[in-house]
Amino acid sequence: MEDVLLGRILTAMTLAFHIIYATVGVGIPIVIMVFEFLGIKKNDYHYLTMARRIAKGYTVTVAVGVVTGTIIGLQLSLIWPDFMKLAGQIIALPLFMETFAFFFEAIFLGIYLYTWDRFKNRWHHWLLTIPVVIGSSLSAVFITTVNSFMNTPAGFDLVEGVFKNVDPIMAMFNASTGVRVFHVVVTAYMTAAFFMVTVAAVKLLRSKHTEDRAYHRKGLKVNMIIGLAAAALTLLAGDLSAKFLHNEQPEKLAAFEWHFETEENADLILFGILDEENQEVKGALRIPAALSILSGNKPSTEVTGLNDIPKDEWPPLVVHYFFDIMVIFGMFGLGVSALYFILKLFKREEWAHSRFMLYLYALSGPLCFAAIEAGWFTAELGRQPWIIRGYMRVSEAITQADGLGITMIMFGVLYLILGYTTIQVMVNMFKNESARDSQIAYYGKESLMEQGGRF
Amino acid sequence: MNYEIIGITALWTFLYGYVIVASVDFGAGFYNFYAKATGKSNIITPIITRYLNPVWEVTNVFFVFFFVGIVGFYPDTAYYFGTTLLIPASIALILMAIRGSYYAFNQYSKDSNIVWAFLYGGTGLLIPASLSVTLVISEGGFIKEKAGGIDLNLMELLFSQYAWSVVFLAVISVLYISSSFLTFYANRARAFEAVEIIRKWFLIWTIPMLVSSQFVFLGLRSNNEAHFMNAQNYWYLFGLSLVFMWIAVYLIYKKRRYGMAFIMVMLQFLSAFFGYGISKLPYILYPYVRIESVVNESMAFWLTVVFILGLLLLIPSLIILMRMFLFDKDYVQGKED
């Protein structure tokens, strides 16, 4: 196989694996923060126990997130040395800041996890969630600015293959930074919330600990609120992204949508199969003028088509499928959480917790993760063939070293083993210990008698 | 201000920090496994767990910090080290991934077992070995510039006496540093049985420690004579290192002031590490990357700004962390749970 393809697969593999843990890492602190807040505010041991149980599972995912993050950090130099040599001149700053944010988070997470019983005033322990949330979200922000730079480079002049007149701040706050950071952070919150929705739904569907029902219903509700809010923001982020791409990266939007001819009243294409020779799309759902409206709020907006872009700068057209998956699966969470609250609004409590609905809720978490993966594949494949759009092609950045094939196999095996063990450990962690047992272990038998624990 | 000096000093200090923190961590993992395998687990493991639980993540950040920083200040290193180290660094990364993950799996899972303890403890000795190879390569002689680019001469590396002596020194240092810290920590925890065991481990490692560091010097002479000669100019730093070592060994042998002994061990490595580092200059990677190849002015300026701001945030945080878990008597003695 060609080296550049091997390098791409290896990078994709590492990122695809890391993103699962990274998303959990950015999103879950918010969930923990909310639950502990509610627990203290309402003096409700269910919420407190929930925050603590989530934190326990979170620790394991953080460990794997840290190591896979370290891997990708070094792999950038190992697989793409020429890229780092060039771009290191200008992306070093956000990378460095990301490390600081991560450091900050690591310190306070360490303190948070081992001081549950150490403070007389519970609010003091809750305050520790603030640096953790700030640290984890900021590391997402900084690392996304790096990726944004690769999409819409700014802040330098390229003179004979070297960056001159470098302005690292302009590079960080490039054209796509705002919209991408917003998209990444809210989808992480959303995914974390729906992941916990899934846990609650599965526990309500098949847990042997029937005494935990009230506990899981409470968890379901709160996570639905977080999920709905984050999903609504995600919708907004998606809309902003479309407008942004229309203005700044038209080739990417055109590839997402198999949009070949530059025209007004451009259709939005959902699903379908492409006949690349004749540029014909079969079996697709066409929404008239929707692409123009998405791009510029009115049907008369002219959307650039791929035929106006040099063919050797086309992204691979397969991105359309990933784009569809991202949109549909992403909307699913919004749909179920809206449905949940509509049923509640009309006092259909028993419907909202019916088995059918619970199955739908249970799907939302995995589908969110699939949407995150598909979204990143959309974004990254959509940037091909560039590694720094307009300046350096992926093929120019690949290492000259031998051994990419064997390296790819080694890491593939590693991720399989780590993924498998994580699932095994997480399942076993909560399978045999009911939330009630945890509550007694954390807060003593008396806690059952106090408000909120009386079930 | 001179950015190349700021850059290299910051990076070298962080690398030193990593050497100390990671050695304690790696060694602790290995001792934990050893104790489990020999049935002493109930004496040693609680001490190690209590120390490691809140700090293991922080250890890793020191390393990330270093490699992000070096690419930031000296992007050329990404090219030379990145290209040549694909296989060795990938192996190190895989070991680190196994170690970090299995630490958490072993610690927080009910199904913890000896295999997981082995994965987490055993890798702890292999990682310093594999990482130290980078220092060997930086001395030059193993990278060849050819028509299409650069290449690492793996065979030569594998049969290099110098490389092996550095690897041995790295592994022994880990066990040595770690046992000196754990002696102090166990003593604070008033776990006197554990102190006895760990103290012996420390004393056992002193002789190989001395011998292997001599071999490293001899190896350096045949590998990079200019560096070796330059090191002579800083003989006092190496001499100081030896003095600190004798004080540490004396204190622990006499069962006195374990805290001071650990500080002496830290100073021992500080002076040797900086002696090595300073005498290496101006080369970062002999003979390709020199200290002058620092990034553009504006980036160096912002990196320095961020670095200072970052430290203002980190140092107080680290002090809080240490006060809560290292110097809090109740926590150390396990009265929390």
Side-chain angles (χ1 to χ4, degrees), chain B residues 96-126:
Chain B
M96 288 174 121
I98 291 174
R99 198 193 119 83
S101 308
Y102 279 88
Y103 170 75
F105 295 154
N106 194 39
Q107 208 60 55
Y108 302 111
S109 155
K110 293 190 192 91
D111 347 288
S112 80
N113 57 49
I114 186 86
V115 178
W116 290 7
F118 168 72
L119 283 175
Y120 142 62
T123 48
L125 293 191
L126 297 175

mmCIF file of all heavy atoms in Angstrom, chain B residues 96-126:
data_model
loop_
_atom_site.group_PDB
_atom_site.id
_atom_site.type_symbol
_atom_site.label_atom_id
_atom_site.label_comp_id
_atom_site.label_asym_id
_atom_site.label_seq_id
_atom_site.Cartn_x
_atom_site.Cartn_y
_atom_site.Cartn_z
ATOM 1 N N MET B 96 3.335 2.984 26.859
ATOM 2 C CA MET B 96 2.723 3.988 27.730
ATOM 3 C C MET B 96 1.209 3.839 27.758
ATOM 4 O O MET B 96 0.573 4.020 28.799
ATOM 5 C CB MET B 96 3.061 5.394 27.241
ATOM 6 C CG MET B 96 4.483 5.775 27.484
ATOM 7 S SD MET B 96 4.793 7.353 26.712
ATOM 8 C CE MET B 96 5.278 8.272 28.130
ATOM 9 N N ALA B 97 0.648 3.522 26.610
ATOM 10 C CA ALA B 97 -0.804 3.357 26.548
ATOM 11 C C ALA B 97 -1.236 2.172 27.405
ATOM 12 O O ALA B 97 -2.205 2.252 28.161
ATOM 13 C CB ALA B 97 -1.242 3.152 25.099
ATOM 14 N N ILE B 98 -0.489 1.089 27.298
ATOM 15 C CA ILE B 98 -0.828 -0.095 28.099
ATOM 16 C C ILE B 98 -0.708 0.240 29.577
ATOM 17 O O ILE B 98 -1.600 -0.039 30.381
ATOM 18 C CB ILE B 98 0.109 -1.269 27.740
ATOM 19 C CG1 ILE B 98 -0.194 -1.747 26.331
ATOM 20 C CG2 ILE B 98 -0.042 -2.414 28.741
ATOM 21 C CD1 ILE B 98 0.763 -2.797 25.816
ATOM 22 N N ARG B 99 0.383 0.904 29.923
ATOM 23 C CA ARG B 99 0.604 1.218 31.326
ATOM 24 C C ARG B 99 -0.486 2.114 31.898
ATOM 25 O O ARG B 99 -1.098 1.821 32.907
ATOM 26 C CB ARG B 99 1.953 1.916 31.493
ATOM 27 C CG ARG B 99 2.458 1.885 32.888
ATOM 28 C CD ARG B 99 3.616 2.844 33.054
ATOM 29 N NE ARG B 99 3.225 3.817 34.040
ATOM 30 C CZ ARG B 99 3.321 3.628 35.337
ATOM 31 N NH1 ARG B 99 3.816 2.515 35.810
ATOM 32 N NH2 ARG B 99 2.907 4.536 36.179
ATOM 33 N N GLY B 100 -0.749 3.215 31.201
ATOM 34 C CA GLY B 100 -1.735 4.165 31.699
ATOM 35 C C GLY B 100 -3.117 3.546 31.822
ATOM 36 O O GLY B 100 -3.806 3.716 32.828
ATOM 37 N N SER B 101 -3.506 2.793 30.824
ATOM 38 C CA SER B 101 -4.839 2.214 30.846
ATOM 39 C C SER B 101 -4.947 1.143 31.914
ATOM 40 O O SER B 101 -5.908 1.108 32.678
ATOM 41 C CB SER B 101 -5.169 1.587 29.501
ATOM 42 O OG SER B 101 -4.954 2.510 28.480
ATOM 43 N N TYR B 102 -3.949 0.269 31.953
ATOM 44 C CA TYR B 102 -4.061 -0.839 32.913
ATOM 45 C C TYR B 102 -3.856 -0.377 34.348
ATOM 46 O O TYR B 102 -4.312 -1.034 35.271
ATOM 47 C CB TYR B 102 -3.155 -2.007 32.509
ATOM 48 C CG TYR B 102 -3.843 -2.812 31.442
ATOM 49 C CD1 TYR B 102 -3.690 -2.488 30.099
ATOM 50 C CD2 TYR B 102 -4.739 -3.829 31.772
ATOM 51 C CE1 TYR B 102 -4.380 -3.167 29.111
ATOM 52 C CE2 TYR B 102 -5.431 -4.508 30.788
ATOM 53 C CZ TYR B 102 -5.240 -4.175 29.458
ATOM 54 O OH TYR B 102 -5.956 -4.843 28.497
ATOM 55 N N TYR B 103 -3.223 0.751 34.516
ATOM 56 C CA TYR B 103 -3.208 1.306 35.869
ATOM 57 C C TYR B 103 -4.639 1.568 36.318
ATOM 58 O O TYR B 103 -5.051 1.140 37.397
ATOM 59 C CB TYR B 103 -2.413 2.622 35.926
ATOM 60 C CG TYR B 103 -2.610 3.309 37.248
ATOM 61 C CD1 TYR B 103 -1.976 2.817 38.382
ATOM 62 C CD2 TYR B 103 -3.509 4.354 37.398
ATOM 63 C CE1 TYR B 103 -2.209 3.389 39.616
ATOM 64 C CE2 TYR B 103 -3.746 4.926 38.630
ATOM 65 C CZ TYR B 103 -3.093 4.434 39.735
ATOM 66 O OH TYR B 103 -3.343 4.981 40.957
ATOM 67 N N ALA B 104 -5.396 2.268 35.455
ATOM 68 C CA ALA B 104 -6.774 2.604 35.821
ATOM 69 C C ALA B 104 -7.637 1.353 35.905
ATOM 70 O O ALA B 104 -8.437 1.197 36.833
ATOM 71 C CB ALA B 104 -7.353 3.588 34.810
ATOM 72 N N PHE B 105 -7.477 0.454 34.949
ATOM 73 C CA PHE B 105 -8.289 -0.770 34.984
ATOM 74 C C PHE B 105 -8.030 -1.527 36.274
ATOM 75 O O PHE B 105 -8.941 -2.016 36.942
ATOM 76 C CB PHE B 105 -7.945 -1.679 33.799
ATOM 77 C CG PHE B 105 -8.301 -1.097 32.452
ATOM 78 C CD1 PHE B 105 -7.626 -1.485 31.316
ATOM 79 C CD2 PHE B 105 -9.309 -0.146 32.331
ATOM 80 C CE1 PHE B 105 -7.936 -0.954 30.072
ATOM 81 C CE2 PHE B 105 -9.641 0.401 31.090
ATOM 82 C CZ PHE B 105 -8.940 -0.017 29.964
ATOM 83 N N ASN B 106 -6.774 -1.630 36.620
ATOM 84 C CA ASN B 106 -6.384 -2.399 37.794
ATOM 85 C C ASN B 106 -6.870 -1.721 39.071
ATOM 86 O O ASN B 106 -7.285 -2.376 40.021
ATOM 87 C CB ASN B 106 -4.855 -2.517 37.809
ATOM 88 C CG ASN B 106 -4.368 -3.548 38.782
ATOM 89 O OD1 ASN B 106 -4.986 -4.589 38.914
ATOM 90 N ND2 ASN B 106 -3.285 -3.269 39.460
ATOM 91 N N GLN B 107 -6.830 -0.392 39.060
ATOM 92 C CA GLN B 107 -7.106 0.358 40.266
ATOM 93 C C GLN B 107 -8.590 0.492 40.551
ATOM 94 O O GLN B 107 -9.034 0.414 41.673
ATOM 95 C CB GLN B 107 -6.503 1.755 40.096
ATOM 96 C CG GLN B 107 -6.099 2.407 41.369
ATOM 97 C CD GLN B 107 -5.068 1.585 42.096
ATOM 98 O OE1 GLN B 107 -4.042 1.264 41.558
ATOM 99 N NE2 GLN B 107 -5.372 1.197 43.298
ATOM 100 N N TYR B 108 -9.354 0.727 39.500
ATOM 101 C CA TYR B 108 -10.748 1.094 39.724
ATOM 102 C C TYR B 108 -11.727 -0.031 39.404
ATOM 103 O O TYR B 108 -12.928 0.148 39.485
ATOM 104 C CB TYR B 108 -11.096 2.333 38.902
ATOM 105 C CG TYR B 108 -10.205 3.500 39.232
ATOM 106 C CD1 TYR B 108 -9.283 3.985 38.328
ATOM 107 C CD2 TYR B 108 -10.269 4.086 40.498
ATOM 108 C CE1 TYR B 108 -8.448 5.032 38.656
ATOM 109 C CE2 TYR B 108 -9.433 5.128 40.830
ATOM 110 C CZ TYR B 108 -8.534 5.599 39.911
ATOM 111 O OH TYR B 108 -7.704 6.637 40.238
ATOM 112 N N SER B 109 -11.186 -1.163 38.998
ATOM 113 C CA SER B 109 -12.092 -2.231 38.604
ATOM 114 C C SER B 109 -12.105 -3.305 39.668
ATOM 115 O O SER B 109 -11.126 -3.515 40.374
ATOM 116 C CB SER B 109 -11.622 -2.806 37.276
ATOM 117 O OG SER B 109 -12.068 -4.118 37.159
ATOM 118 N N LYS B 110 -13.241 -3.995 39.753
ATOM 119 C CA LYS B 110 -13.316 -5.093 40.710
ATOM 120 C C LYS B 110 -12.548 -6.306 40.211
ATOM 121 O O LYS B 110 -12.178 -7.169 40.984
ATOM 122 C CB LYS B 110 -14.779 -5.473 40.936
ATOM 123 C CG LYS B 110 -15.552 -4.382 41.631
ATOM 124 C CD LYS B 110 -16.923 -4.918 42.049
ATOM 125 C CE LYS B 110 -17.817 -3.792 42.476
ATOM 126 N NZ LYS B 110 -18.613 -3.242 41.363
ATOM 127 N N ASP B 111 -12.353 -6.396 38.894
ATOM 128 C CA ASP B 111 -11.686 -7.607 38.378
ATOM 129 C C ASP B 111 -10.175 -7.433 38.321
ATOM 130 O O ASP B 111 -9.527 -8.049 37.510
ATOM 131 C CB ASP B 111 -12.174 -7.988 36.971
ATOM 132 C CG ASP B 111 -13.419 -7.263 36.536
ATOM 133 O OD1 ASP B 111 -14.468 -7.596 37.074
ATOM 134 O OD2 ASP B 111 -13.333 -6.361 35.679
ATOM 135 N N SER B 112 -9.608 -6.565 39.156
ATOM 136 C CA SER B 112 -8.171 -6.378 39.073
ATOM 137 C C SER B 112 -7.462 -7.707 39.324
ATOM 138 O O SER B 112 -7.887 -8.502 40.140
ATOM 139 C CB SER B 112 -7.715 -5.346 40.096
ATOM 140 O OG SER B 112 -7.626 -5.947 41.362
ATOM 141 N N ASN B 113 -6.401 -7.951 38.600
ATOM 142 C CA ASN B 113 -5.723 -9.240 38.740
ATOM 143 C C ASN B 113 -4.231 -9.085 38.494
ATOM 144 O O ASN B 113 -3.755 -8.012 38.122
ATOM 145 C CB ASN B 113 -6.326 -10.266 37.774
ATOM 146 C CG ASN B 113 -6.265 -9.788 36.342
ATOM 147 O OD1 ASN B 113 -5.221 -9.349 35.874
ATOM 148 N ND2 ASN B 113 -7.380 -9.852 35.640
ATOM 149 N N ILE B 114 -3.512 -10.166 38.666
ATOM 150 C CA ILE B 114 -2.056 -10.103 38.608
ATOM 151 C C ILE B 114 -1.558 -9.788 37.195
ATOM 152 O O ILE B 114 -0.545 -9.124 37.015
ATOM 153 C CB ILE B 114 -1.436 -11.421 39.159
ATOM 154 C CG1 ILE B 114 0.079 -11.334 39.256
ATOM 155 C CG2 ILE B 114 -1.829 -12.612 38.324
ATOM 156 C CD1 ILE B 114 0.569 -10.728 40.546
ATOM 157 N N VAL B 115 -2.323 -10.223 36.186
ATOM 158 C CA VAL B 115 -1.900 -9.949 34.805
ATOM 159 C C VAL B 115 -1.947 -8.450 34.547
ATOM 160 O O VAL B 115 -1.031 -7.863 33.963
ATOM 161 C CB VAL B 115 -2.809 -10.688 33.798
ATOM 162 C CG1 VAL B 115 -2.388 -10.353 32.372
ATOM 163 C CG2 VAL B 115 -2.741 -12.188 34.022
ATOM 164 N N TRP B 116 -3.016 -7.810 35.020
ATOM 165 C CA TRP B 116 -3.129 -6.369 34.840
ATOM 166 C C TRP B 116 -2.032 -5.660 35.626
ATOM 167 O O TRP B 116 -1.440 -4.700 35.137
ATOM 168 C CB TRP B 116 -4.509 -5.865 35.287
ATOM 169 C CG TRP B 116 -5.611 -6.304 34.370
ATOM 170 C CD1 TRP B 116 -5.485 -7.177 33.323
ATOM 171 C CD2 TRP B 116 -6.983 -5.911 34.412
ATOM 172 N NE1 TRP B 116 -6.702 -7.346 32.719
ATOM 173 C CE2 TRP B 116 -7.643 -6.592 33.366
ATOM 174 C CE3 TRP B 116 -7.726 -5.063 35.234
ATOM 175 C CZ2 TRP B 116 -8.991 -6.439 33.109
ATOM 176 C CZ3 TRP B 116 -9.077 -4.909 34.979
ATOM 177 C CH2 TRP B 116 -9.698 -5.590 33.927
ATOM 178 N N ALA B 117 -1.778 -6.154 36.834
ATOM 179 C CA ALA B 117 -0.712 -5.549 37.638
ATOM 180 C C ALA B 117 0.626 -5.702 36.920
ATOM 181 O O ALA B 117 1.477 -4.816 36.958
ATOM 182 C CB ALA B 117 -0.652 -6.194 39.012
ATOM 183 N N PHE B 118 0.806 -6.835 36.238
ATOM 184 C CA PHE B 118 2.050 -7.065 35.504
ATOM 185 C C PHE B 118 2.151 -6.112 34.315
ATOM 186 O O PHE B 118 3.197 -5.499 34.085
ATOM 187 C CB PHE B 118 2.117 -8.509 35.010
ATOM 188 C CG PHE B 118 3.216 -8.734 34.014
ATOM 189 C CD1 PHE B 118 4.543 -8.747 34.421
ATOM 190 C CD2 PHE B 118 2.927 -8.898 32.667
ATOM 191 C CE1 PHE B 118 5.563 -8.917 33.498
ATOM 192 C CE2 PHE B 118 3.941 -9.066 31.735
ATOM 193 C CZ PHE B 118 5.259 -9.077 32.158
ATOM 194 N N LEU B 119 1.046 -5.977 33.570
ATOM 195 C CA LEU B 119 1.065 -5.089 32.405
ATOM 196 C C LEU B 119 1.421 -3.668 32.833
ATOM 197 O O LEU B 119 2.179 -2.961 32.168
ATOM 198 C CB LEU B 119 -0.310 -5.084 31.727
ATOM 199 C CG LEU B 119 -0.618 -6.304 30.879
ATOM 200 C CD1 LEU B 119 -2.053 -6.249 30.367
ATOM 201 C CD2 LEU B 119 0.347 -6.403 29.716
ATOM 202 N N TYR B 120 0.871 -3.279 33.980
ATOM 203 C CA TYR B 120 1.076 -1.920 34.423
ATOM 204 C C TYR B 120 2.451 -1.751 35.074
ATOM 205 O O TYR B 120 3.129 -0.737 34.860
ATOM 206 C CB TYR B 120 -0.112 -1.543 35.318
ATOM 207 C CG TYR B 120 0.170 -0.693 36.510
ATOM 208 C CD1 TYR B 120 0.683 0.586 36.358
ATOM 209 C CD2 TYR B 120 -0.119 -1.153 37.786
ATOM 210 C CE1 TYR B 120 0.924 1.363 37.460
ATOM 211 C CE2 TYR B 120 0.110 -0.377 38.883
ATOM 212 C CZ TYR B 120 0.646 0.880 38.730
ATOM 213 O OH TYR B 120 0.894 1.646 39.815
ATOM 214 N N GLY B 121 2.914 -2.778 35.786
ATOM 215 C CA GLY B 121 4.217 -2.688 36.442
ATOM 216 C C GLY B 121 5.375 -2.944 35.492
ATOM 217 O O GLY B 121 6.376 -2.227 35.508
ATOM 218 N N GLY B 122 5.243 -3.966 34.651
ATOM 219 C CA GLY B 122 6.328 -4.355 33.760
ATOM 220 C C GLY B 122 6.637 -3.274 32.740
ATOM 221 O O GLY B 122 7.806 -2.939 32.493
ATOM 222 N N THR B 123 5.585 -2.704 32.163
ATOM 223 C CA THR B 123 5.802 -1.651 31.167
ATOM 224 C C THR B 123 6.522 -0.455 31.789
ATOM 225 O O THR B 123 7.244 0.254 31.100
ATOM 226 C CB THR B 123 4.470 -1.165 30.579
ATOM 227 O OG1 THR B 123 3.579 -0.919 31.649
ATOM 228 C CG2 THR B 123 3.875 -2.174 29.636
ATOM 229 N N GLY B 124 6.331 -0.267 33.087
ATOM 230 C CA GLY B 124 6.952 0.863 33.773
ATOM 231 C C GLY B 124 8.470 0.831 33.676
ATOM 232 O O GLY B 124 9.117 1.876 33.765
ATOM 233 N N LEU B 125 9.049 -0.348 33.507
ATOM 234 C CA LEU B 125 10.508 -0.415 33.354
ATOM 235 C C LEU B 125 10.926 -0.322 31.890
ATOM 236 O O LEU B 125 12.017 0.137 31.566
ATOM 237 C CB LEU B 125 11.047 -1.716 33.957
ATOM 238 C CG LEU B 125 10.925 -1.825 35.471
ATOM 239 C CD1 LEU B 125 11.714 -3.010 35.977
ATOM 240 C CD2 LEU B 125 11.406 -0.553 36.151
ATOM 241 N N LEU B 126 10.027 -0.769 31.010
ATOM 242 C CA LEU B 126 10.376 -0.738 29.589
ATOM 243 C C LEU B 126 10.275 0.672 29.008
ATOM 244 O O LEU B 126 11.000 1.035 28.097
ATOM 245 C CB LEU B 126 9.460 -1.692 28.801
ATOM 246 C CG LEU B 126 9.601 -3.160 29.181
ATOM 247 C CD1 LEU B 126 8.577 -4.013 28.444
ATOM 248 C CD2 LEU B 126 11.008 -3.662 28.870
#
